[in-house]
Amino acid sequence: MSFMLLMMEAPGKRQARPLDEGQAAYARMMAFQEKLRSAGVLVTGEALKSDDNAVRIENLGGRRTVSDGPFTESKEIIGGFFLLNCKSREEALEFAMACPASDWGIVELREIAASCYE
């Protein structure tokens, strides 16, 4: 079963973090990634840049709009993700609960659907 761990935090929080704290958080996340790899469940994982250079595209009522970040209305931004292949939801949840990102943000566990209509 495939699952995605999404790491989210408040906009600007990463940029406001002192360098030494940021480096320590990054080291913890890299160690966690290695734990996932060693357990044989990691498919891929990446950190994402802030939403400063992100772009949102919407098509509302036949009118396409493009909005450049940062997005001030956002309560949180996705800072990174891990795609996992686990035996069960319970196994994926164990890994999600061990993710260090929950110490400074939110970790969301989502199952990958075979179709968007499941």
Side-chain angles (χ1 to χ4, degrees):
M1 301 173 77
S2 295
F3 294 87
M4 184 165 281
L5 293 183
L6 298 168
M7 281 68 70
M8 300 177 286
E9 60 187 343
K13 191 171 184 179
R14 186 186 299 177
Q15 294 88 336
R17 190 176 293 129
L19 181 61
D20 60 330
E21 286 181 27
Q23 290 171 332
Y26 185 77
R28 289 179 64 198
M29 291 303 292
M30 292 300 97
F32 179 68
Q33 183 171 333
E34 186 52 42
K35 177 181 176 180
L36 296 172
R37 184 176 286 111
S38 295
V41 299
L42 181 66
V43 176
T44 192
E46 296 291 340
L48 300 175
K49 289 185 176 185
S50 75
D51 67 345
D52 292 349
N53 294 311
V55 177
R56 289 183 178 170
I57 299 101
E58 294 180 276
N59 190 351
L60 303 172
R63 183 172 172 258
R64 186 173 315 273
T65 61
V66 178
S67 305
D68 292 323
F71 308 110
T72 56
E73 70 279 3
S74 295
K75 291 194 292 186
E76 60 228 3
I77 63 164
I78 300 172
F81 69 90
F82 291 113
L83 180 60
L84 308 179
N85 190 2
C86 295
K87 296 179 186 105
S88 66
R89 181 180 185 276
E90 291 73 24
E91 181 185 32
L93 184 56
E94 285 183 36
F95 285 113
M97 291 179 66
C99 183
S102 65
D103 289 345
W104 57 82
I106 297 169
V107 176
E108 184 174 318
L109 175 66
R110 302 278 299 271
E111 187 172 356
I112 304 296
S115 107
C116 62
Y117 297 103
E118 288 187 352

